[in-house]
Amino acid sequence: MKMVLWLLSVLAIFFLILLALLFIFQSRLVYFPSSDIEATPEDYGLEYEDVYFKTEDELFLHGWFIPADDTPRATLIFCHGNAGNISHRLESIEQFHSLGLNVFIFDYRGYGNSQGQPTEEGTYKDAQAAWNYLTGKKNISDDELIIFGRSLGGPVAAWLALNNQPRGLIIESSFTSLPELGSEIYPYLPVKYFLRIKYPTREYVRKVKVPVLIGHSIRDNLISFHHGKRLFDAAREPKYWLEMMGDHNIGFIETGDRYLKEINSFIEVINENR
């Protein structure tokens, strides 16, 4: 009996240490930035502007502005996911450019050539700084902007749409909240009780008052399909659904022509209803 109690005590101490480490270092489980810019839009035959702009807390962020070939149908703000940097999104940039959009993609603090270290509040500030750059330095009006967020970029994009007035919002392959996702990935840990990084996407989406397109793959191997459906259910009308194919990282490719067709239809609808 003493041996059993001793083992239980050791396991309890180990478990508490594990929780403490996860609480302290949880940002390392959420953010996976890379500083290496591996390619540029020029490698895809696209003209672009190399941009540096400042956040409200005085950090310089890096981004690319890729202009449309002709008169732009809109300007898309691209909020990317939690790994890599803007140079790993060139396939998507090329796709959106093919739809006649200006594309502005930026790196959050700590990613690519952007200063600082990533935090939840920091990513919101970064997105707002990107918005301010376009509406200020580029003199683009609010209703000419579409906000796009993929994966971790989903809550960032939803927050930005909630606090501004874009033409539309697109969320792809994202989650309802980070605690809910974490509880599914680590069912044996009380994630909801110690995770201080929240990203409550569903709560933001529920309050957004502009047209929303939600996309998710039925084969997403990281963020289960039901997250996308719950985000769609939470969104206000007018809202639109895009059922994708492929795993988490290549759904926008594996879905094929239908991916661009559905996004193009969304752009047509929101342009007509301006």
Side-chain angles (χ1 to χ4, degrees):
M1 181 60 70
K2 288 183 179 180
M3 180 61 71
V4 172
L5 291 174
W6 181 82
L7 286 173
L8 289 174
S9 298
V10 170
L11 289 173
I13 293 171
F14 175 79
F15 188 71
L16 290 174
I17 292 173
L18 176 62
L19 290 180
L21 291 173
L22 289 174
F23 182 80
I24 294 170
F25 298 109
Q26 61 188 257
S27 63
R28 297 187 182 183
L29 299 175
V30 175
Y31 306 108
F32 299 94
S34 170
S35 59
D36 296 327
I37 302 297
E38 299 179 359
T40 71
E42 186 176 17
D43 295 306
Y44 281 66
L46 301 174
E47 295 183 6
Y48 75 104
E49 299 174 28
D50 211 33
V51 173
Y52 284 90
F53 58 101
K54 189 181 288 188
T55 64
E56 66 176 50
D57 51 348
E58 301 295 313
L59 291 177
F60 279 100
L61 305 182
H62 176 238
W64 293 327
F65 183 83
I66 301 94
D69 290 333
D70 299 309
T71 302
R73 301 168 69 194
T75 296
L76 183 133
I77 303 178
F78 194 134
C79 303
H80 66 67
N82 71 327
N85 57 54
I86 58 176
S87 70
H88 302 115
R89 276 77 190 185
L90 286 164
E91 293 89 348
S92 287
I93 292 172
E94 186 178 42
Q95 286 181 322
F96 291 129
H97 179 267
S98 74
L99 293 176
L101 303 172
N102 293 332
V103 180
F104 185 54
I105 186 169
F106 65 96
D107 266 326
Y108 310 119
R109 58 191 65 202
Y111 286 74
N113 291 330
S114 294
Q115 295 179 333
Q117 296 296 322
T119 64
E120 179 178 2
E121 186 61 32
T123 55
Y124 299 146
K125 291 179 179 178
D126 300 342
Q128 186 62 55
W131 176 281
N132 294 343
Y133 171 80
L134 292 174
T135 57
K137 293 291 181 67
K138 283 290 186 182
N139 199 32
I140 299 173
S141 64
D142 293 8
D143 71 348
E144 294 176 3
L145 294 172
I146 297 171
I147 306 172
F148 172 84
R150 175 178 291 150
S151 193
L152 185 78
V156 178
W159 180 93
L160 188 62
L162 176 60
N163 288 279
N164 297 276
Q165 193 64 29
R167 186 183 302 177
L169 169 65
I170 302 173
I171 295 179
E172 180 185 308
S173 305
S174 195
F175 46 80
T176 53
S177 75
L178 205 57
E180 289 181 6
L181 177 62
S183 295
E184 295 174 9
I185 297 175
Y186 305 105
Y188 47 87
L189 294 174
V191 173
K192 289 185 178 181
Y193 301 102
F194 72 85
L195 193 61
R196 63 179 183 274
I197 304 174
K198 306 295 186 182
Y199 285 115
T201 320
R202 178 165 47 186
E203 295 307 310
Y204 298 150
V205 167
R206 184 175 285 128
K207 300 173 185 177
V208 167
K209 297 180 181 179
V210 299
V212 179
L213 172 65
I214 306 288
H216 212 103
S217 173
I218 58 175
R219 299 176 183 170
D220 195 311
N221 58 329
L222 180 61
I223 302 175
S224 296
F225 183 67
H226 65 256
H227 282 269
K229 293 299 291 183
R230 289 172 184 172
L231 290 177
F232 179 77
D233 290 342
R236 301 183 182 187
E237 295 287 355
K239 58 184 177 180
Y240 305 87
W241 173 250
L242 167 58
E243 188 166 303
M244 298 166 60
M245 303 296 292
D247 68 25
H248 183 72
N249 292 314
I250 61 172
F252 67 98
I253 296 174
E254 289 294 310
T255 307
D257 293 341
R258 185 167 55 82
Y259 176 79
L260 285 182
K261 182 179 179 181
E262 294 291 340
I263 292 179
N264 182 65
S265 295
F266 177 70
I267 295 170
E268 288 180 347
V269 168
I270 62 177
N271 282 359
E272 289 173 359
N273 296 329
R274 289 176 65 185

